[in-house]
Amino acid sequence: MLKTFLTENNIPFLENESLKKHTTFKVGGNASFVALPEDKFQAVKLLKFLKENEIKYYIIGRGSNVIFRDNGFDGVVVKTANMQQVDYIGETAVFAGAGVPMNVLCKSLQEHSLEGLEFCYGIPGNVGGGLYMNAGAYGGEICNAVCEVEYIDENCEIRTIDVKDCDFAYRHSVFQGKDWFITGCRFELKKGDKDKILEFMEDIMQRRIDKQPLDKPSAGSSFKRPAGYFAAALIEQCGLKGCSIGGAQVSEKHSGFIVNKGDATCSDIVALAEYVEKVVFEKTGVAIEKEMIIV
Ligand SMILES: Cc1cc2nc3c(=O)[nH]c(=O)nc-3n(C[C@H](O)[C@H](O)[C@H](O)COP(=O)(O)OP(=O)(O)OC[C@H]3O[C@@H](n4cnc5c(N)ncnc54)[C@H](O)[C@@H]3O)c2cc1C
């Protein structure tokens, strides 16, 4: 029934698909289906069908902050990767679809001499995932440049929400805990110097290469920054650098990252993250919380 619906509506899909291929941690079992709507209208149709038929689903962008359990996902993973619209509006605004990779958007803005999102360069997620997480780096957060966000609400209606109602805070947005599908966002930027923007982007990319274990699969920083502390420093102070369970390891290069040494399972990663949280709390009294989302 689902397969017929996807085929008849020309919605690209993959069946019995390994979620290792769709998450940067490269772990997890299979999803019954991965559906890749090409625009918001296909997404509306798909969500209506899934809700009407009570089929379980989970939305992902590039899967760079999410891991799926080893027994997989008995439902539909809806992936935004095909929602790649980028429309410049006037001199300084741009609408970007949920599936536009942050790096692609940053490069495009730089080519248009627009500044305001360059600190996101190197974040391996898409616009939709970035908004959901309020991704940020090097002193900036994606919400700084947001004007309004377009989404599909719980009744499958397309709506927009003003930035002031998005409840953005550190790695938090109104989209967390809502049954909404972000379809895109209008960003408001500033005219800047093309060369200086590029220089800044190259500098932060180099800082990432120097400090982060980019050669190993991960979900970036595994823990949120606890108020007044740095998770990586606490983890290192507790002697946990390099500590491993199965194929999951606290990175030797950056203690805030849990990495997949090659053969990690989702269970290894969860067990290691929980062990780290426990030891850090016992030794320092500071509670650290996972940033990655376990489905
Ligand atoms: C090497 C590395 C470095 C990283 N560096 C940073 C960093 O500097 N700063 C930072 O903040 N993060 C960083 N991350 C984490 C991650 O890239 C960000 O959280 C990113 O914003 C997630 O985007 P995504 O598209 O991959 O979302 P996903 O991981 O696919 O999804 C994350 C959450 O958003 C939800 N979601 C995704 N798209 C939608 C949508 N369209 N509508 C509704 N919900 C949606 C998902 O359901 C999920 O709950 C890093 C990750 C890696 C692997």
Side-chain angles (χ1 to χ4, degrees):
M1 184 176 67
L2 173 62
K3 201 167 164 177
T4 309
F5 167 83
L6 292 166
T7 309
E8 282 176 355
N9 287 282
N10 298 316
I11 301 175
F13 68 93
L14 302 154
E15 199 176 351
N16 194 23
E17 175 74 356
S18 169
L19 290 164
K20 288 182 185 166
K21 297 187 207 159
H22 300 274
T23 54
T24 54
F25 237 133
K26 301 198 186 305
V27 296
N30 287 10
S32 313
F33 287 88
V34 175
L36 299 110
E38 290 185 312
D39 56 35
K40 61 187 173 192
F41 305 109
Q42 279 199 346
V44 166
K45 268 193 199 168
L46 175 61
L47 293 177
K48 268 191 186 154
F49 182 86
L50 296 174
K51 283 170 195 270
E52 277 164 17
N53 291 285
E54 295 180 6
I55 298 170
K56 196 165 90 165
Y57 66 90
Y58 192 82
I59 305 160
I60 62 165
R62 292 195 78 202
S64 64
N65 204 43
V66 80
I67 51 174
F68 289 88
R69 301 271 178 192
D70 300 311
N71 59 356
F73 187 77
D74 181 19
V76 182
V77 170
V78 182
K79 188 169 175 178
T80 60
N82 284 335
M83 298 172 72
Q84 293 269 350
Q85 181 189 354
V86 177
D87 288 330
Y88 282 86
I89 309 154
E91 287 280 286
T92 53
V94 65
F95 179 90
V100 178
M102 286 311 300
N103 280 350
V104 171
L105 181 62
C106 290
K107 280 295 274 174
S108 173
L109 294 175
Q110 184 269 331
E111 278 157 19
H112 284 77
S113 306
L114 289 174
E115 65 178 31
L117 273 180
E118 52 280 11
F119 57 84
C120 283
Y121 194 53
I123 297 180
N126 289 349
V127 166
L131 292 164
Y132 183 96
M133 293 303 301
N134 188 22
Y138 303 102
E141 286 179 334
I142 194 169
C143 65
N144 302 150
V146 172
C147 196
E148 60 182 22
V149 179
E150 185 189 71
Y151 66 99
I152 302 167
D153 74 6
E154 57 277 23
N155 301 312
C156 300
E157 302 287 342
I158 297 172
R159 306 212 177 269
T160 54
I161 180 167
D162 193 274
V163 61
K164 69 177 182 332
D165 300 317
C166 288
D167 198 21
F168 283 124
Y170 172 68
R171 301 295 176 269
H172 176 81
S173 72
V174 72
F175 307 104
Q176 296 172 13
K178 294 265 190 207
D179 177 19
W180 294 353
F181 182 117
I182 299 163
T183 51
C185 171
R186 187 151 72 93
F187 293 104
E188 185 61 50
L189 303 134
K190 280 192 290 193
K191 274 282 173 201
D193 182 289
K194 209 177 187 170
D195 296 335
K196 280 199 183 134
I197 300 170
L198 184 61
E199 205 179 300
F200 182 70
M201 282 163 51
E202 285 174 348
D203 175 50
I204 59 171
M205 187 59 92
Q206 192 56 51
R207 284 196 250 167
R208 283 182 185 273
I209 293 166
D210 292 344
K211 295 208 173 112
Q212 300 181 357
L214 301 182
D215 56 329
K216 296 200 175 65
S218 78
S221 297
S222 302
F223 304 95
K224 291 184 188 172
R225 198 175 56 230
Y229 298 91
F230 288 102
L234 292 169
I235 294 166
E236 201 162 333
Q237 183 189 323
C238 293
L240 292 165
K241 193 174 204 169
C243 168
S244 61
I245 293 184
Q249 184 180 38
V250 175
S251 166
E252 306 264 12
K253 192 168 176 182
H254 187 313
S255 317
F257 280 54
I258 291 179
V259 294
N260 178 352
K261 287 193 284 180
D263 55 355
T265 60
C266 179
S267 307
D268 293 340
I269 294 164
V270 175
L272 182 58
E274 285 171 358
Y275 177 69
V276 168
E277 284 169 353
K278 181 172 159 286
V279 173
V280 169
F281 187 68
E282 280 170 5
K283 291 199 174 172
T284 68
V286 182
I288 55 170
E289 190 195 334
K290 284 182 268 310
E291 181 170 324
M292 58 192 172
I293 297 159
I294 301 144
V295 185

